[in-house]
Amino acid sequence: MNTARIFTVPVTPDEINETQIVEGQMARHIGIEITEVGSDFMTARMPVDHRTIQRIGILHGGASLALAETVGSIAASYCIDREKQYIVGQEINANHIRPVKSGYVHATATPLHLGKTSQVWDIRIRNEEGKLVCVSRFTVAVLHKT
């Protein structure tokens, strides 16, 4: 994508964390928070702790997917006319590159395609040293409210 602003309304991490990541839902339960909104990307972080590790003490692949789908969904929802449209996930995949035992992981979502009826997002998850942990591709359908 180019450097043109992709989001249809001005949005801040604080606003998203207050209105989109709410009590009682998965993203809040596992500690996901949006940390940055750029002109053509959105970044979130998630702790690697007792909520997000698997039995051998490393980041659970499902937690990585939850992080990827959360940041991808929120970013996608700000690229449409939110009064007339909404998005739903259609497909997500991931390649897990390296394990993480503690700290935070950071996921950055950038669009590969922003169409009228679908969007495709590239989500890269990195550890605190900036090393690639997971690569995900997320596809959403853009639907019209009735």
Side-chain angles (χ1 to χ4, degrees):
M1 301 296 311
N2 62 26
T3 58
R5 183 153 189 85
I6 62 169
F7 303 116
T8 59
V9 296
V11 63
T12 67
D14 287 341
E15 177 187 334
I16 294 169
N17 291 329
E18 290 174 16
T19 64
Q20 306 298 307
I21 300 178
V22 296
E23 195 62 41
Q25 295 180 1
M26 181 186 286
R28 173 72 61 92
H29 177 70
I30 61 176
I32 294 172
E33 60 185 342
I34 301 299
T35 57
E36 187 176 4
V37 178
S39 62
D40 65 346
F41 71 92
M42 192 175 288
T43 301
R45 74 177 186 167
M46 179 180 70
V48 179
D49 64 15
H50 67 281
R51 298 169 292 179
T52 58
I53 60 170
Q54 48 138 296
R55 63 180 178 78
I56 62 171
I58 61 173
L59 179 62
H60 193 291
S64 292
L65 281 165
L67 173 59
E69 187 157 349
T70 297
V71 70
S73 292
I74 293 171
S77 76
Y78 282 98
C79 293
I80 58 172
D81 180 344
R82 294 167 61 94
E83 297 294 318
K84 298 177 182 176
Q85 301 169 303
Y86 65 101
I87 59 95
V88 294
Q90 285 187 302
E91 192 271 341
I92 190 165
N93 66 48
N95 295 97
H96 305 289
I97 310 297
R98 71 173 28 86
V100 180
K101 293 184 176 185
S102 63
Y104 281 89
V105 288
H106 305 266
T108 299
T110 56
L112 298 172
H113 168 71
L114 295 175
K116 292 180 182 179
T117 60
S118 69
Q119 298 178 13
V120 180
W121 289 82
D122 177 70
I123 298 139
R124 304 289 168 123
I125 301 175
R126 298 182 183 279
N127 64 18
E128 290 182 309
E129 292 77 41
K131 293 181 180 176
L132 193 60
V133 170
C134 178
V135 176
S136 180
R137 187 181 66 220
F138 179 51
T139 304
V140 300
V142 178
L143 303 175
H144 290 275
K145 294 180 179 180
T146 55

